[in-house]
Each structure stands twice: as C-alpha cells, then as structure tokens.
Amino acid sequence: METKTILVDEHVNNDESYAQAVDFIRGGEVVAFPTETVYGLGADAMNATAVDKIFEAKGRPTDNPLIVHVDSKETALEYVEDVPEKALQCMDAFWPGALTLIMQAKPDTFASNVTAGLPTVGIRVPNHPVALNLLKRLKQPVAAPSANTSGKPSPTLAEHVYFDMNTKIPLILDGGPTQVGIESTVLDMTSAPPVILRPGQVTKEQLEEVIGTVRLSSETKGNTPKSPGMKYAHYAPQAPLYLIEHNTKLIEKAIDHIHSKKKKIAVLSREDFETADYCFPLAVDKLYDSLRKCDQTDADLILACVLPENEDAALMNRLEKAADHKWFS
C-alpha cells in the first residue's frame, strides 16, 4: 500500500490529520512527523512490536537505542528517575529544543528495544508545532529515530521520507522543511561531568554556560552505545564522499584530476565551483538535502570542502561519518 502524505498547516484546523496519526500510533503502527531537527519515524515507546516496525522500516540494527519524544518537561519526569539537578537545569534552558538527555529510565517503562536493553533512555521535547501537537494528543511517549533508511542522509523534507519509506509506513505528516537540519545534541547526564555523545545545534559552550564543565565523547567503536549515531556508519550518500581542505587551488586541482579519469564529480561547498559537474551548498541546515541531491545525479565521487579548524562541530561530526573519515589526497 502506498504511504499517505498529509500536509499539516499550523494555521488551519488539522484535527482529522492528527486523529489519523494518533490512531495509527495507538494501533501499533509507525508514523513519520517533522521535528525542528529532522523528520522522525514514530511509534509507541512502550510497545515492543510497534518499535520493531521502526527497525524493520529503517533496516536499522536493533542494538542501537532510540530517542524518546515527549510533550513537556513534566511528562519526561514521569518516565525517568534519579534525575540530577544539572539535567533539570538543561530542561529549563533548552527544552523544547534540540537537546536529548540520557537519564536513568524508570524500570519496566519503555520497551526493551527502545533502550537496547540499557537502564538509560535518551529523551527530549521537540520544538516543532506539529510534533508537539501530535505528542499532546497522544498523551504517551513516542520513540522516533530519523525517518530515513539506516545509514543514509536524514530527511529534512517530507519528500525525503516518502522516497525512503513509501509502502513501509502508512502515514507521513508533512510540516514543511525542518529548521535545524541535523539531529539533536545528545548529552549523557549519567556521567560526571556530563558527556556529549553526539554534537548538534546546542553546543558545548552553550551547555557549559548553564551547567559548567561538559566533556566530549571519544565515540570509541565497540562500546555499548547509549545514543544513536555512535556505533554504525551514518549519513552516507551513494557515491563515495571525501573531505578536502577548502582551498580553491587544491579543489580545482582535484576536480581536474577526477575529470582526467573520465569521472564526474559533485562538490559540496560554500562557493560555486563551475568546473565541477555538480555543486551544492555546504551548511548545517542544508547538509542532508545536498547529500540527497548528490544521489539524484550521476556523480562518481563527492568532495566536501571544509575548514576543519573553524568548522561547526556538529557539521564535521556528520561529514566525517558520511565520508567514513576519508580525506581526498
């Protein structure tokens, strides 16, 4: 059955649209919906069978935990325990918003495939009217990873979701383009000091202004992941992606070298390279859309032009994973 997409306009009455989404989720199905970061693939976080459908739709390993979305700080506190004061301070400062907090889950609350069998859970309050309206109507927590095929660029438009998920899920709520464009920052509050497991829009500096010292995770492979994005390859386009220093002469030389091998090249950059076969913008909020546009071309190779010493930590995190840490040389 073809997936149904419903346009949801926050300025008009969408009762029927939300009612359909609520019925699907309460009935154990999966629904895609927009958040301010990326589109999420949501299911009842306390229904293991429903959550299994997320993994099936995404083709995602089941040892990767899922982030739970709720409608408020007060709701979040119903599902976690031993909450440190610094976590409460983060909730007050950044929620609703692009910050996921890892905390101790109340026992026997979430389906074990949400937490990957861990005693902790990642939880946040999204800052998007469609997501919040859906959560308030549901009155229950929703497990929602990004609504893309596992390992591929996350969706920032409903059409991205449809491309990956058509026939796999019954419904997509289309709330337009997402604002942030990358997944939330994930902060582990069970460590002292807290540890950023995944960088995002909320930066280390912003967090430290509120709660003091925050560490960055080394993200060592093989550790039991408490957060999505720590263990497996992510965000990769179809063609091989390489990072290259944003040096005009170096990039032009690379383009000439690739053309000499009779191959086509796509470039992600802050400036236009006319000699490239394709050129798309490189910015945090445009990254996934640009990677997906690369997939619509016949490019044999993609170069992402970066300034590592000045680059946004969240952008570099996604680019390094998409490139599997490969630099063009």
Side-chain angles (χ1 to χ4, degrees), residues 60-78:
R60 176 179 174 137
T62 56
D63 63 344
N64 224 357
L66 304 180
I67 289 172
V68 172
H69 295 66
V70 294
D71 65 355
S72 66
K73 169 188 173 181
E74 291 71 27
T75 301
L77 293 174
E78 295 176 12

Side-chain angles (χ1 to χ4, degrees), residues 242-252 267-273 279-283 303-311 315-316 319 327-328:
Y242 292 85
L243 307 181
I244 188 170
E245 180 186 348
H246 196 131
N247 176 300
T248 301
K249 289 184 178 179
L250 180 64
I251 295 164
E252 293 286 3
V267 172
L268 305 185
S269 175
R270 290 171 177 78
E271 64 178 285
D272 188 23
F273 285 90
C279 196
F280 301 109
L282 180 61
L303 287 182
C305 310
V306 299
L307 294 167
E309 69 277 11
N310 298 318
E311 204 61 78
L315 177 62
M316 281 305 298
L319 281 172
W327 284 80
F328 187 84

Side-chain angles (χ1 to χ4, degrees), residues 131-192:
L132 288 172
N133 280 330
L134 177 62
L135 290 165
K136 287 173 182 175
R137 290 164 185 258
L138 271 167
K139 296 180 174 61
Q140 63 192 69
V142 170
S146 54
N148 59 301
T149 301
S150 186
K152 296 302 180 183
S154 298
T156 56
L157 295 168
E159 64 191 62
H160 296 162
V161 182
Y162 186 84
F163 183 84
D164 283 11
M165 294 293 154
N166 184 29
T167 73
K168 298 179 181 179
I169 63 174
L171 182 66
I172 301 167
L173 293 180
D174 181 357
T178 63
Q179 292 81 43
V180 176
I182 58 167
E183 299 84 356
S184 62
T185 303
V186 178
L187 184 65
D188 184 3
M189 302 305 304
T190 67
S191 298

Side-chain angles (χ1 to χ4, degrees), residues 9-325:
D9 185 339
E10 61 179 296
H11 301 296
V12 300
N13 188 314
N14 298 289
D15 287 348
E16 184 177 344
S17 301
Y18 285 116
Q20 290 184 59
V22 168
D23 286 346
F24 275 126
I25 293 175
R26 287 181 177 166
E29 297 297 332
V30 177
V31 171
F33 61 93
T35 76
E36 80 280 24
T37 57
V38 298
Y39 273 75
L41 203 58
D44 179 353
M46 295 178 282
N47 182 336
T49 301
V51 172
D52 274 339
K53 294 180 181 179
I54 292 177
F55 291 107
E56 182 180 353
K58 285 179 64 70
R60 176 179 174 137
T62 56
D63 63 344
N64 224 357
L66 304 180
I67 289 172
V68 172
H69 295 66
V70 294
D71 65 355
S72 66
K73 169 188 173 181
E74 291 71 27
T75 301
L77 293 174
E78 295 176 12
Y79 298 102
V80 293
E81 61 184 13
D82 300 327
V83 179
E85 178 63 27
K86 288 183 178 181
L88 297 173
Q89 292 170 342
C90 284
M91 293 176 192
D92 291 335
F94 300 107
W95 282 4
L99 177 66
T100 295
L101 299 176
I102 304 290
M103 295 175 286
Q104 293 292 329
K106 285 186 177 178
D108 304 317
T109 298
F110 298 109
S112 61
N113 49 358
V114 169
T115 61
L118 296 170
T120 55
V121 65
I123 195 164
R124 84 177 184 102
V125 179
N127 188 18
H128 193 288
V130 174
L132 288 172
N133 280 330
L134 177 62
L135 290 165
K136 287 173 182 175
R137 290 164 185 258
L138 271 167
K139 296 180 174 61
Q140 63 192 69
V142 170
S146 54
N148 59 301
T149 301
S150 186
K152 296 302 180 183
S154 298
T156 56
L157 295 168
E159 64 191 62
H160 296 162
V161 182
Y162 186 84
F163 183 84
D164 283 11
M165 294 293 154
N166 184 29
T167 73
K168 298 179 181 179
I169 63 174
L171 182 66
I172 301 167
L173 293 180
D174 181 357
T178 63
Q179 292 81 43
V180 176
I182 58 167
E183 299 84 356
S184 62
T185 303
V186 178
L187 184 65
D188 184 3
M189 302 305 304
T190 67
S191 298
V195 178
I196 294 176
L197 301 182
R198 181 179 71 188
Q201 184 190 46
V202 179
T203 66
K204 180 176 186 287
E205 292 74 19
Q206 290 172 321
L207 290 165
E208 289 187 330
E209 285 182 7
V210 176
I211 61 171
T213 302
V214 171
R215 292 188 294 121
L216 294 172
S217 170
S218 61
E219 297 188 351
T220 305
K221 289 186 178 180
N223 287 353
T224 301
K226 290 183 178 180
S227 162
M230 292 187 68
K231 188 171 182 181
Y232 298 100
H234 282 70
Y235 324 119
Q238 293 174 6
L241 173 68
Y242 292 85
L243 307 181
I244 188 170
E245 180 186 348
H246 196 131
N247 176 300
T248 301
K249 289 184 178 179
L250 180 64
I251 295 164
E252 293 286 3
K253 184 177 179 181
I255 292 171
D256 288 342
H257 175 73
I258 292 162
H259 282 163
S260 72
K261 296 181 176 295
K262 308 299 182 185
K263 293 184 177 181
K264 292 187 176 182
I265 181 172
V267 172
L268 305 185
S269 175
R270 290 171 177 78
E271 64 178 285
D272 188 23
F273 285 90
E274 294 183 358
T275 56
D277 299 282
Y278 309 96
C279 196
F280 301 109
L282 180 61
V284 173
D285 60 339
K286 302 291 185 184
L287 175 61
Y288 294 142
D289 187 52
S290 290
L291 290 174
R292 284 178 176 267
K293 285 177 177 175
C294 288
D295 283 347
Q296 296 170 14
T297 73
D298 58 352
D300 299 295
L301 184 144
I302 304 167
L303 287 182
C305 310
V306 299
L307 294 167
E309 69 277 11
N310 298 318
E311 204 61 78
D312 180 280
L315 177 62
M316 281 305 298
N317 172 269
R318 296 343 187 252
L319 281 172
E320 287 174 345
K321 289 179 181 295
D324 196 21
H325 303 275

